[in-house]
PDB file of all heavy atoms in Angstrom:
ATOM      1  N   LYS A 126     -13.380   4.091  61.817  1.00  0.00           N
ATOM      2  CA  LYS A 126     -13.890   3.504  60.581  1.00  0.00           C
ATOM      3  C   LYS A 126     -13.102   2.243  60.262  1.00  0.00           C
ATOM      4  O   LYS A 126     -11.958   2.107  60.666  1.00  0.00           O
ATOM      5  CB  LYS A 126     -13.737   4.489  59.427  1.00  0.00           C
ATOM      6  CG  LYS A 126     -14.864   5.525  59.376  1.00  0.00           C
ATOM      7  CD  LYS A 126     -14.811   6.335  58.084  1.00  0.00           C
ATOM      8  CE  LYS A 126     -15.976   7.305  58.000  1.00  0.00           C
ATOM      9  NZ  LYS A 126     -17.247   6.665  57.685  1.00  0.00           N
ATOM     10  N   GLN A 127     -13.711   1.376  59.514  1.00  0.00           N
ATOM     11  CA  GLN A 127     -13.030   0.152  59.056  1.00  0.00           C
ATOM     12  C   GLN A 127     -12.302  -0.583  60.163  1.00  0.00           C
ATOM     13  O   GLN A 127     -11.127  -0.918  60.036  1.00  0.00           O
ATOM     14  CB  GLN A 127     -12.066   0.494  57.906  1.00  0.00           C
ATOM     15  CG  GLN A 127     -12.863   0.933  56.685  1.00  0.00           C
ATOM     16  CD  GLN A 127     -11.978   1.337  55.533  1.00  0.00           C
ATOM     17  OE1 GLN A 127     -11.002   2.068  55.718  1.00  0.00           O
ATOM     18  NE2 GLN A 127     -12.314   0.872  54.350  1.00  0.00           N
ATOM     19  N   ILE A 128     -12.996  -0.809  61.223  1.00  0.00           N
ATOM     20  CA  ILE A 128     -12.401  -1.538  62.346  1.00  0.00           C
ATOM     21  C   ILE A 128     -12.154  -2.996  61.960  1.00  0.00           C
ATOM     22  O   ILE A 128     -11.301  -3.668  62.522  1.00  0.00           O
ATOM     23  CB  ILE A 128     -13.293  -1.401  63.593  1.00  0.00           C
ATOM     24  CG1 ILE A 128     -12.468  -1.629  64.860  1.00  0.00           C
ATOM     25  CG2 ILE A 128     -14.496  -2.320  63.535  1.00  0.00           C
ATOM     26  CD1 ILE A 128     -13.195  -1.185  66.112  1.00  0.00           C
ATOM     27  N   PHE A 129     -12.931  -3.471  60.987  1.00  0.00           N
ATOM     28  CA  PHE A 129     -12.743  -4.852  60.534  1.00  0.00           C
ATOM     29  C   PHE A 129     -11.952  -4.882  59.220  1.00  0.00           C
ATOM     30  O   PHE A 129     -12.292  -4.190  58.264  1.00  0.00           O
ATOM     31  CB  PHE A 129     -14.094  -5.533  60.344  1.00  0.00           C
ATOM     32  CG  PHE A 129     -14.884  -5.648  61.619  1.00  0.00           C
ATOM     33  CD1 PHE A 129     -16.063  -4.917  61.807  1.00  0.00           C
ATOM     34  CD2 PHE A 129     -14.455  -6.477  62.646  1.00  0.00           C
ATOM     35  CE1 PHE A 129     -16.782  -5.016  62.984  1.00  0.00           C
ATOM     36  CE2 PHE A 129     -15.176  -6.587  63.833  1.00  0.00           C
ATOM     37  CZ  PHE A 129     -16.344  -5.847  64.004  1.00  0.00           C
ATOM     38  N   GLU A 130     -10.913  -5.693  59.206  1.00  0.00           N
ATOM     39  CA  GLU A 130     -10.076  -5.809  58.007  1.00  0.00           C
ATOM     40  C   GLU A 130     -10.862  -6.441  56.858  1.00  0.00           C
ATOM     41  O   GLU A 130     -11.645  -7.371  57.093  1.00  0.00           O
ATOM     42  CB  GLU A 130      -8.885  -6.733  58.289  1.00  0.00           C
ATOM     43  CG  GLU A 130      -7.942  -6.220  59.326  1.00  0.00           C
ATOM     44  CD  GLU A 130      -6.850  -7.250  59.616  1.00  0.00           C
ATOM     45  OE1 GLU A 130      -6.729  -8.245  58.860  1.00  0.00           O
ATOM     46  OE2 GLU A 130      -6.124  -7.053  60.599  1.00  0.00           O
ATOM     47  N   PRO A 131     -10.611  -6.000  55.647  1.00  0.00           N
ATOM     48  CA  PRO A 131     -11.311  -6.583  54.488  1.00  0.00           C
ATOM     49  C   PRO A 131     -11.143  -8.104  54.412  1.00  0.00           C
ATOM     50  O   PRO A 131     -12.090  -8.812  54.085  1.00  0.00           O
ATOM     51  CB  PRO A 131     -10.657  -5.901  53.292  1.00  0.00           C
ATOM     52  CG  PRO A 131     -10.153  -4.604  53.833  1.00  0.00           C
ATOM     53  CD  PRO A 131      -9.768  -4.861  55.260  1.00  0.00           C
ATOM     54  N   GLU A 132      -9.949  -8.613  54.740  1.00  0.00           N
ATOM     55  CA  GLU A 132      -9.735 -10.074  54.680  1.00  0.00           C
ATOM     56  C   GLU A 132     -10.622 -10.786  55.698  1.00  0.00           C
ATOM     57  O   GLU A 132     -11.144 -11.866  55.431  1.00  0.00           O
ATOM     58  CB  GLU A 132      -8.261 -10.440  54.963  1.00  0.00           C
ATOM     59  CG  GLU A 132      -7.275  -9.956  53.931  1.00  0.00           C
ATOM     60  CD  GLU A 132      -6.982  -8.453  54.038  1.00  0.00           C
ATOM     61  OE1 GLU A 132      -7.330  -7.842  55.090  1.00  0.00           O
ATOM     62  OE2 GLU A 132      -6.447  -7.878  53.071  1.00  0.00           O
ATOM     63  N   PHE A 133     -10.733 -10.173  56.873  1.00  0.00           N
ATOM     64  CA  PHE A 133     -11.574 -10.770  57.900  1.00  0.00           C
ATOM     65  C   PHE A 133     -13.037 -10.788  57.440  1.00  0.00           C
ATOM     66  O   PHE A 133     -13.739 -11.796  57.557  1.00  0.00           O
ATOM     67  CB  PHE A 133     -11.436  -9.997  59.216  1.00  0.00           C
ATOM     68  CG  PHE A 133     -12.445 -10.399  60.262  1.00  0.00           C
ATOM     69  CD1 PHE A 133     -12.409 -11.672  60.827  1.00  0.00           C
ATOM     70  CD2 PHE A 133     -13.444  -9.521  60.668  1.00  0.00           C
ATOM     71  CE1 PHE A 133     -13.343 -12.057  61.790  1.00  0.00           C
ATOM     72  CE2 PHE A 133     -14.381  -9.903  61.624  1.00  0.00           C
ATOM     73  CZ  PHE A 133     -14.334 -11.170  62.179  1.00  0.00           C
ATOM     74  N   LEU A 134     -13.476  -9.672  56.864  1.00  0.00           N
ATOM     75  CA  LEU A 134     -14.865  -9.601  56.406  1.00  0.00           C
ATOM     76  C   LEU A 134     -15.128 -10.599  55.278  1.00  0.00           C
ATOM     77  O   LEU A 134     -16.200 -11.201  55.211  1.00  0.00           O
ATOM     78  CB  LEU A 134     -15.219  -8.175  55.961  1.00  0.00           C
ATOM     79  CG  LEU A 134     -15.289  -7.143  57.102  1.00  0.00           C
ATOM     80  CD1 LEU A 134     -15.578  -5.751  56.542  1.00  0.00           C
ATOM     81  CD2 LEU A 134     -16.341  -7.531  58.138  1.00  0.00           C
ATOM     82  N   ALA A 135     -14.126 -10.790  54.434  1.00  0.00           N
ATOM     83  CA  ALA A 135     -14.289 -11.753  53.343  1.00  0.00           C
ATOM     84  C   ALA A 135     -14.480 -13.156  53.913  1.00  0.00           C
ATOM     85  O   ALA A 135     -15.281 -13.951  53.416  1.00  0.00           O
ATOM     86  CB  ALA A 135     -13.074 -11.717  52.417  1.00  0.00           C
ATOM     87  N   TRP A 136     -13.726 -13.426  54.968  1.00  0.00           N
ATOM     88  CA  TRP A 136     -13.875 -14.726  55.631  1.00  0.00           C
ATOM     89  C   TRP A 136     -15.244 -14.818  56.327  1.00  0.00           C
ATOM     90  O   TRP A 136     -15.934 -15.830  56.258  1.00  0.00           O
ATOM     91  CB  TRP A 136     -12.732 -14.891  56.650  1.00  0.00           C
ATOM     92  CG  TRP A 136     -12.862 -16.112  57.510  1.00  0.00           C
ATOM     93  CD1 TRP A 136     -12.483 -17.389  57.192  1.00  0.00           C
ATOM     94  CD2 TRP A 136     -13.416 -16.179  58.832  1.00  0.00           C
ATOM     95  NE1 TRP A 136     -12.767 -18.243  58.230  1.00  0.00           N
ATOM     96  CE2 TRP A 136     -13.337 -17.524  59.249  1.00  0.00           C
ATOM     97  CE3 TRP A 136     -13.962 -15.231  59.709  1.00  0.00           C
ATOM     98  CZ2 TRP A 136     -13.793 -17.951  60.504  1.00  0.00           C
ATOM     99  CZ3 TRP A 136     -14.413 -15.648  60.950  1.00  0.00           C
ATOM    100  CH2 TRP A 136     -14.331 -17.004  61.338  1.00  0.00           C
ATOM    101  N   LEU A 137     -15.638 -13.717  56.977  1.00  0.00           N
ATOM    102  CA  LEU A 137     -16.887 -13.701  57.748  1.00  0.00           C
ATOM    103  C   LEU A 137     -18.100 -13.920  56.857  1.00  0.00           C
ATOM    104  O   LEU A 137     -19.112 -14.494  57.286  1.00  0.00           O
ATOM    105  CB  LEU A 137     -17.013 -12.339  58.460  1.00  0.00           C
ATOM    106  CG  LEU A 137     -18.004 -12.258  59.619  1.00  0.00           C
ATOM    107  CD1 LEU A 137     -17.555 -13.147  60.771  1.00  0.00           C
ATOM    108  CD2 LEU A 137     -18.169 -10.815  60.088  1.00  0.00           C
ATOM    109  N   GLU A 138     -17.976 -13.463  55.620  1.00  0.00           N
ATOM    110  CA  GLU A 138     -19.099 -13.559  54.688  1.00  0.00           C
ATOM    111  C   GLU A 138     -19.600 -15.000  54.541  1.00  0.00           C
ATOM    112  O   GLU A 138     -20.767 -15.238  54.283  1.00  0.00           O
ATOM    113  CB  GLU A 138     -18.648 -13.015  53.329  1.00  0.00           C
ATOM    114  CG  GLU A 138     -19.788 -12.541  52.486  1.00  0.00           C
ATOM    115  CD  GLU A 138     -19.303 -11.654  51.344  1.00  0.00           C
ATOM    116  OE1 GLU A 138     -18.106 -11.273  51.331  1.00  0.00           O
ATOM    117  OE2 GLU A 138     -20.122 -11.346  50.480  1.00  0.00           O
ATOM    118  N   ASN A 139     -18.691 -15.954  54.688  1.00  0.00           N
ATOM    119  CA  ASN A 139     -19.073 -17.365  54.549  1.00  0.00           C
ATOM    120  C   ASN A 139     -19.262 -18.064  55.885  1.00  0.00           C
ATOM    121  O   ASN A 139     -19.404 -19.285  55.927  1.00  0.00           O
ATOM    122  CB  ASN A 139     -17.998 -18.101  53.749  1.00  0.00           C
ATOM    123  CG  ASN A 139     -17.860 -17.515  52.365  1.00  0.00           C
ATOM    124  OD1 ASN A 139     -18.837 -17.347  51.662  1.00  0.00           O
ATOM    125  ND2 ASN A 139     -16.627 -17.160  52.004  1.00  0.00           N
ATOM    126  N   PHE A 140     -19.252 -17.261  56.937  1.00  0.00           N
ATOM    127  CA  PHE A 140     -19.338 -17.874  58.256  1.00  0.00           C
ATOM    128  C   PHE A 140     -20.659 -18.606  58.467  1.00  0.00           C
ATOM    129  O   PHE A 140     -21.716 -18.150  58.065  1.00  0.00           O
ATOM    130  CB  PHE A 140     -19.180 -16.808  59.350  1.00  0.00           C
ATOM    131  CG  PHE A 140     -19.201 -17.410  60.731  1.00  0.00           C
ATOM    132  CD1 PHE A 140     -18.032 -17.896  61.309  1.00  0.00           C
ATOM    133  CD2 PHE A 140     -20.393 -17.535  61.436  1.00  0.00           C
ATOM    134  CE1 PHE A 140     -18.057 -18.490  62.568  1.00  0.00           C
ATOM    135  CE2 PHE A 140     -20.421 -18.127  62.691  1.00  0.00           C
ATOM    136  CZ  PHE A 140     -19.248 -18.603  63.259  1.00  0.00           C
ATOM    137  N   GLU A 141     -20.573 -19.773  59.102  1.00  0.00           N
ATOM    138  CA  GLU A 141     -21.785 -20.438  59.589  1.00  0.00           C
ATOM    139  C   GLU A 141     -21.477 -21.052  60.935  1.00  0.00           C
ATOM    140  O   GLU A 141     -20.340 -21.439  61.217  1.00  0.00           O
ATOM    141  CB  GLU A 141     -22.275 -21.492  58.596  1.00  0.00           C
ATOM    142  CG  GLU A 141     -21.286 -22.580  58.272  1.00  0.00           C
ATOM    143  CD  GLU A 141     -21.825 -23.558  57.223  1.00  0.00           C
ATOM    144  OE1 GLU A 141     -21.778 -23.215  56.022  1.00  0.00           O
ATOM    145  OE2 GLU A 141     -22.274 -24.640  57.623  1.00  0.00           O
TER     146      GLU A 141
END
Side-chain angles (χ1 to χ4, degrees):
Chain A
K126 278 190 177 285
Q127 293 178 315
I128 203 166
F129 297 112
E130 296 176 11
E132 294 76 15
F133 170 67
L134 291 177
W136 173 83
L137 197 65
E138 204 164 350
N139 299 310
F140 183 86
E141 58 183 80

